[in-house]
Amino acid sequence: WKIWDYAAKSVQYITDKKSFGLEDIWLFPEETLVLHKGDCEDSSFLLATLLLASGISEHCVRVVLGQVSTPDGAYGHAWVVYQNERGRWCLLESTLDSIPSQLTPADPFIVPENEYQYQPQFCLNGSHLWSMGATKPQMAEYLKTRGRVQVRQRSSRKRGF
């Protein structure tokens, strides 16, 4: 909870358009830490990386890319899921102003009748990328709907996400 609370409170949500003048840019976790601002994938990558650095297995932490449907509409989003000690996947929303007092199971958020529905399209950790029923052209379409994504190569050894 301390890590989740830290990530939620220390990163001000701001769109890439406002912050960088670009449709979408994915920051490295170190950049998000220094800037103290970012959008959903920036804070999700930071949260996941901090959880991994704390010693939690990469098999229990994943970043999910997809859509969220609310009564106000649907939008592209990124969030973290964590597999707790009982084997249940829980939703760790990194864009909250304050975190809940208990872990929320992720399963109810994918039920079509739910008012707030998380629709995962891709799921990743430091080693793997899973398609949640999507195909390679759908990944390109997902990135297209998110705007133009700036992809940068890290020259040093890969750490975290």
Side-chain angles (χ1 to χ4, degrees), residues 40-82:
C40 58
E41 79 274 343
D42 303 324
S43 59
S44 292
F45 290 145
L46 173 63
L47 175 56
T49 299
L50 292 173
L51 291 169
L52 295 174
S54 78
I56 296 174
S57 169
E58 76 171 10
H59 300 290
C60 296
V61 177
R62 297 182 182 160
V63 173
V64 182
L65 306 172
Q67 278 197 310
V68 172
S69 295
T70 71
D72 299 326
Y75 54 92
H77 192 48
W79 61 94
V80 175
V81 290
Y82 162 71

Side-chain angles (χ1 to χ4, degrees), residues 24 26 40-41 44-45 62-69 73-81 91 93 109-110 117-124 129-132 134 138-139 141-143 145-146:
D24 203 16
W26 292 7
C40 58
E41 79 274 343
S44 292
F45 290 145
R62 297 182 182 160
V63 173
V64 182
L65 306 172
Q67 278 197 310
V68 172
S69 295
Y75 54 92
H77 192 48
W79 61 94
V80 175
V81 290
L91 177 68
E93 179 59 71
F109 289 99
I110 60 170
Q117 185 183 19
Y118 283 64
Q119 302 162 334
Q121 293 176 319
F122 302 94
C123 183
L124 62 116
L129 169 66
W130 294 271
S131 171
M132 310 300 282
Q138 287 172 314
M139 176 63 159
E141 186 60 31
Y142 171 81
L143 293 174
T145 63
R146 297 275 301 168

Side-chain angles (χ1 to χ4, degrees), residues 3-146:
I3 293 170
W4 186 13
D5 187 56
Y6 173 80
K9 288 181 178 173
S10 67
V11 179
Q12 173 194 5
Y13 182 88
I14 188 165
T15 64
D16 291 329
K17 189 75 161 176
K18 278 187 175 180
S19 193
F20 303 105
L22 300 168
E23 286 300 316
D24 203 16
I25 182 170
W26 292 7
L27 298 176
F28 290 114
E30 296 90 342
E31 294 172 314
T32 305
L33 271 176
V34 170
L35 296 172
H36 293 284
K37 63 182 177 179
D39 59 10
C40 58
E41 79 274 343
D42 303 324
S43 59
S44 292
F45 290 145
L46 173 63
L47 175 56
T49 299
L50 292 173
L51 291 169
L52 295 174
S54 78
I56 296 174
S57 169
E58 76 171 10
H59 300 290
C60 296
V61 177
R62 297 182 182 160
V63 173
V64 182
L65 306 172
Q67 278 197 310
V68 172
S69 295
T70 71
D72 299 326
Y75 54 92
H77 192 48
W79 61 94
V80 175
V81 290
Y82 162 71
Q83 188 177 34
N84 69 13
E85 292 75 15
R86 291 189 169 135
R88 185 169 217 174
W89 287 99
C90 299
L91 177 68
L92 303 182
E93 179 59 71
S94 62
T95 61
L96 298 175
D97 292 330
S98 63
I99 62 168
S101 60
Q102 59 186 12
L103 291 175
T104 305
D107 297 341
F109 289 99
I110 60 170
V111 176
E113 298 83 31
N114 197 340
E115 185 176 24
Y116 292 89
Q117 185 183 19
Y118 283 64
Q119 302 162 334
Q121 293 176 319
F122 302 94
C123 183
L124 62 116
N125 65 15
S127 302
H128 302 284
L129 169 66
W130 294 271
S131 171
M132 310 300 282
T135 63
K136 191 172 181 177
Q138 287 172 314
M139 176 63 159
E141 186 60 31
Y142 171 81
L143 293 174
K144 185 177 172 184
T145 63
R146 297 275 301 168

